[in-house]
Amino acid sequence: MGWFLGGAGPEADEDGRLAVAVRRVGEPVTAGAGVLVAPGTVLTCAHVVNDALGRPVFAAAPPGAATLRIDYRGRHGTREAAAEVTHWIPPRRLDGTLPVREREDRVWHGDLAVLTFPTESEGRMPQARWAPMRPGQNLRAWSSSGRPGSFADVRVKTCDASVGYVDGEPTGMSIGPAFSGGALWSVLGDEAVGLVAAHTMPPYDPVTGQPLPHSSQHVARRSWAIPWQRIRQELASVGAVGLVDDEAPPDDPAFALFAETIHGIVPSAALRGDLGRLVAARCLLRHPDDGSAPTPEEFARLLVTEPRALPALTEVLRLRDPSAVQQLLAIGRMSPVPRLLSSREHGRLVEILGQLPGSVGARLPEAARAALPLAADYPVEPSGPAAVAEVVDGLERLSGDSRAQGASIRVPGLLRVMEYLAVLCPEDRRAGLRLWCDGVAQRLGIPRSALAERRFDADEWAGTLAACGGPPRLLVHITRGGSPDRYRLRIWCDEGAGPRQVTTETDRDHTGGEAARALLHALESFPRLSSEERRPLVEAVVDRSGLNLPIDEWESWGPDDVVPGVLGAEYPLVVNCPELLRRNERFLPEWRRRWRQLDTGASLRFSGAAVGPRQIYGTLMDHQDAVRVAVDAAEHLRDGIVEVCLAVGVPVVVWDRGDESHAVDHMATVTTRELPEGVRSYRAKTVHRPGDYPGRPVLAWADADRPVPQLHLSEPQESP
């Protein structure tokens, strides 16, 4: 990203690993350094190659097929290789003539060589990334050994398109001959910005040739380097620019528009630098501390590579230039990268959702379905901070269902969902969530009236829930005990705010009568009946083997009881088998879609002795509006048909666990939403009129708006 640097610095000694030693032919010493620019490819100075081959330092003729010995660091330590020169750019004077004069010419052009060598297959090798050299940068150069501690720190004093002058720190190692041809690395980032070319040595006595005593008037620890800007031009002249070329413009339709817009709204480099530092801080990125500024192109690259950079930029610009915010957001909608929320907004929302009562958080999918009925899919039930963040990320991608007209800004889907969730929250949590929505809407420039409309919709939905929501539920997870006629229970109550566990014992076995007594006792804990006098729904959560358990027939009638307690006659009782749907998760969206059509969807009936699972599957794929299925097939086929229906997401399935059609025929006249009460009424009739009502109906009921406890979704086989 150029000026914007990653959140974490390079790995310890990573830059040193890229240093290559170019050895003198036939001698154990090095002529200089180089840098790995790609696996098996080294960039160095031409004068280092000349020195290694024993040629005059500024020899201009190509070295031909000469072989050089280099040392590079692989994954398993230092390795030696034979390298050949593949690109040669000889040193030349500033006026373009040859050769460079060693005493007269203080700086020169050219002086680059590319070496290649065969590499063994040893996994990923590090390689250099490049960025422009700028005045004020703090840089680090490594000697040819690349060993820890063999580095010199310098600072760029001046830099133009040809030469960069760098001064070393007064302490530590200074740049010397072993550094020539090596890379200069940005201390803050992980990019190379140039190559060390030469060092200004102290003056020599013209008679003895020895260095003169040091004077405060002498130039100390000054070197000059070939900046990346010139390296790129020089390599381009010989067709090798791809080795160190800067990143290509992103293949994103918003990139060029972002760059153009940023240049227009922030033409000043100083203001762009201030803006860049603020955005980097909000995105947890680093940046140069040399007072420089990102170019418009570097800013644009950040916006199409860092998902939360655009929201962070609009946060900063909102008070300074609101019109610019709308321009940038409009461009951002052309790119798949930018997210809706800034890092601050995202973190705050995850925090708010994490503090909600578990019963409210579990209803997030319900709120999402109500807020965005046209969306393709909905998030899974959140469980833990990581899952909450994942759900928020998914909601950010959903479009809004706003009814805004004309040029009005649509309310994003995430804000609409949060408004719907807010009405399910306690008063204090509701206020916090709505304040968060206000802040995001204000940054996005959404009119107050538009958000108020969504808030009104949510309040209206909450009123509808209160008026015609489902009845209270008693959920019971039933598994078989130590013998065939004994069972183990785990019970939850749900008065409308989500499941609340009331018993945790899983190792106690119950007979059917004991189980009925325990469940009836739990049902007595529900508040008095509502004004609609709706009795609680008993929802038995079972595995595949428990779909035909005679739970509705369990009867509690002890010696001291005045009346019997037949569970299925007193309360609407349904079964739910989440195991089947969770084993076929591709049908979860189908289940939710079918449930939304409960009052308008089609009803199917499967009967006969020849129908099988394959025919059932094909029929249900053909009738994707089917929300209810009645099964009246031969007993040996019935269970397989029921399981197929539940596995592909049919929310309501009714059958008779005996061998009668009477109950199935009777239920055909009952509307889908009234089936739980209709089945209860039938079961009550079997108590006093078994001859007239011989059926043993089972009703599978999977309400997509009322989740079962998370335990059963992730650990359906927990109990033995």
Side-chain angles (χ1 to χ4, degrees), residues 311-467:
L313 175 59
T314 56
E315 276 184 330
V316 176
L317 284 175
R318 181 174 64 84
L319 297 178
R320 302 183 183 188
D321 191 349
S323 62
V325 169
Q326 295 309 314
Q327 293 181 56
L328 292 168
L329 290 175
I331 297 171
R333 287 191 281 272
M334 301 173 58
S335 169
V337 174
R339 295 288 183 85
L340 177 71
L341 304 180
S342 69
S343 295
R344 290 184 178 186
E345 293 166 343
H346 182 272
R348 177 58 182 151
L349 180 58
V350 170
E351 179 184 358
I352 291 173
L353 295 180
Q355 294 172 348
L356 294 179
S359 58
V360 175
R363 299 182 71 182
L364 177 55
E366 177 186 354
R369 285 188 288 273
L372 302 171
L374 302 181
D377 200 1
Y378 305 102
V380 297
E381 290 80 358
S383 178
V388 170
E390 182 180 346
V391 168
V392 172
D393 291 346
L395 287 171
E396 281 187 89
R397 297 183 173 91
L398 298 181
S399 61
D401 280 349
S402 171
R403 298 194 296 270
Q405 301 295 324
S408 298
I409 302 172
R410 292 168 61 89
V411 178
L414 175 62
L415 265 62
R416 186 175 171 96
V417 172
M418 290 304 109
E419 289 291 350
Y420 275 63
L421 184 64
V423 299
L424 303 177
C425 295
E427 200 64 39
D428 57 337
R429 302 298 184 192
R430 180 184 308 174
L433 197 49
R434 283 182 165 175
L435 284 172
W436 179 88
C437 290
D438 289 339
V440 176
Q442 191 173 16
R443 174 180 65 81
L444 297 174
I446 296 172
R448 288 180 177 272
S449 58
L451 188 62
E453 183 185 352
R454 307 300 151 257
R455 194 162 289 173
F456 176 82
D457 291 343
D459 289 333
E460 196 173 56
W461 173 67
T464 303
L465 284 181

Side-chain angles (χ1 to χ4, degrees), residues 146-211:
R147 293 173 183 157
S150 65
F151 61 86
D153 285 341
V154 297
R155 187 177 180 85
V156 181
K157 294 299 183 178
T158 65
C159 177
D160 58 23
S162 298
V163 175
Y165 286 98
V166 298
D167 283 1
E169 295 182 351
T171 59
M173 185 176 286
S174 62
I175 287 178
F179 289 78
S180 289
L184 284 161
W185 295 89
S186 169
V187 173
L188 285 176
D190 55 358
E191 300 105 346
V193 300
L195 295 184
V196 176
H199 182 67
T200 302
M201 302 299 293
Y204 289 82
D205 187 295
V207 177
T208 64
Q210 297 298 313

Side-chain angles (χ1 to χ4, degrees), residues 451-662:
L451 188 62
E453 183 185 352
R454 307 300 151 257
R455 194 162 289 173
F456 176 82
D457 291 343
D459 289 333
E460 196 173 56
W461 173 67
T464 303
L465 284 181
C468 60
R473 292 187 301 168
L474 182 135
L475 294 107
V476 54
H477 180 214
I478 302 176
T479 55
R480 294 188 184 275
S483 59
D485 59 347
R486 301 186 73 87
Y487 311 94
R488 295 178 181 175
L489 314 177
R490 188 173 295 183
I491 303 172
W492 288 259
C493 289
D494 180 5
E495 294 90 348
R500 169 177 56 83
Q501 192 160 5
V502 296
T503 178
T504 59
E505 54 185 41
T506 57
D507 56 354
R508 180 185 172 189
D509 287 1
H510 300 75
T511 64
E514 291 168 345
R517 183 175 296 274
L519 294 174
L520 289 170
H521 177 73
L523 286 161
E524 290 173 356
S525 67
F526 276 91
R528 292 186 178 273
L529 298 179
S530 64
S531 58
E532 292 85 4
E533 297 185 352
R534 292 178 298 169
R535 300 179 70 83
L537 174 76
V538 179
E539 183 171 338
V541 182
V542 297
D543 59 17
R544 296 167 64 184
S545 65
L547 282 168
N548 288 303
L549 286 176
I551 306 167
D552 54 285
E553 298 176 7
W554 289 348
E555 181 176 336
S556 172
W557 195 357
D560 298 328
D561 292 332
V562 177
V563 294
V566 181
L567 198 60
E570 291 193 32
Y571 295 94
L573 189 149
V574 299
V575 296
N576 191 351
C577 185
E579 172 193 349
L580 285 169
L581 196 53
R582 291 299 170 177
R583 291 180 60 178
N584 300 273
E585 289 196 357
R586 66 185 185 277
F587 293 111
L588 282 171
E590 284 297 302
W591 166 54
R592 293 163 180 151
R593 183 185 57 77
R594 291 181 195 264
W595 178 260
R596 292 198 303 272
Q597 300 173 354
L598 190 67
D599 296 313
T600 58
S603 298
L604 300 178
R605 180 165 178 161
F606 296 125
S607 60
V611 67
R614 187 174 182 84
Q615 289 81 6
I616 301 304
Y617 167 79
T619 303
L620 291 173
M621 293 303 98
D622 187 31
H623 294 79
Q624 296 197 350
D625 61 340
V627 300
R628 167 180 170 177
V629 169
V631 181
D632 182 24
E635 187 174 357
H636 68 284
L637 297 174
R638 182 193 63 212
D639 292 348
I641 296 172
V642 168
E643 290 181 3
V644 171
C645 293
L646 297 177
V648 301
V650 177
V652 179
V653 182
V654 63
W655 69 97
D656 193 305
R657 64 171 167 269
D659 195 18
E660 294 281 347
S661 300
H662 187 273

Side-chain angles (χ1 to χ4, degrees), residues 45-70:
C45 287
H47 78 262
V48 172
V49 173
N50 284 333
D51 188 18
L53 295 174
R55 299 178 358 136
V57 174
F58 295 112
T67 299
L68 294 97
R69 307 304 301 178
I70 64 169

